[in-house]
Amino acid sequence: MKKILFAADGSENSEKAFLYVKDLAKALVAKVIVLNSYELPSYYQRYETESILSDLESHLVKTSVDLSENLIKRLADENIEGISITSYGDAGVKIVEEAAKHNADLIVVGSRGLGGIKSFLLGSVSNYVLHHTDIPVLVIK
């Protein structure tokens, strides 16, 4: 196992997953690909003016880049090689695409912690990834 794709979203479970990824990458001398995907909420896309959308997207990009760069720095502090990817679009789709593109050996995501009914009704990124990739997926709760 030489490449681990870590899908970061800044949540508490994402932080737990990051700590696991960091230890795993260190033990395996693996490279970590940190991915954060952002997306404009659909209600903004329909009702807001172009300038508000531009400001919101700029904020989302900055937040995404800051999150990823912070994680890369934390990896570097542990002498773990990593790259940062920020992408626009559905998180599940982007995780599957980037993992395939970078030939990841493992995908690690944090669980949102939804119960069975909520997860069924709302869907989940980890559920999407589990069902749309052939790469092993580790979900940290």
Side-chain angles (χ1 to χ4, degrees), residues 9-106:
D9 68 6
S11 68
E12 183 179 331
N13 283 340
S14 181
E15 176 63 20
K16 288 179 188 176
F18 174 76
L19 296 175
Y20 192 91
V21 165
K22 183 180 63 141
D23 290 345
L24 186 62
K26 193 169 199 167
L28 298 172
V29 190
K31 179 179 183 177
V32 178
I33 303 155
V34 176
L35 171 66
N36 181 264
S37 182
Y38 68 93
E39 191 172 23
L40 290 172
S42 60
Y43 54 86
Y44 278 111
Q45 294 174 4
R46 282 183 262 170
Y47 301 113
E48 298 301 332
T49 65
E50 194 170 312
S51 65
I52 291 173
L53 286 175
S54 177
D55 290 346
L56 178 59
E57 186 167 16
S58 294
H59 173 73
L60 291 172
V61 169
K62 182 182 181 335
T63 301
S64 183
V65 168
D66 288 350
L67 171 67
S68 297
E69 287 180 355
N70 176 271
L71 295 175
I72 292 297
K73 183 185 179 314
R74 289 171 61 191
L75 289 171
D77 290 346
E78 300 284 332
N79 296 315
I80 300 167
E81 183 183 353
I83 64 166
S84 170
I85 300 171
T86 298
S87 67
Y88 177 82
D90 178 86
V93 171
K94 291 300 180 180
I95 292 166
V96 171
E97 288 176 355
E98 293 294 337
K101 178 179 171 183
H102 292 276
N103 297 312
D105 299 304
L106 177 69

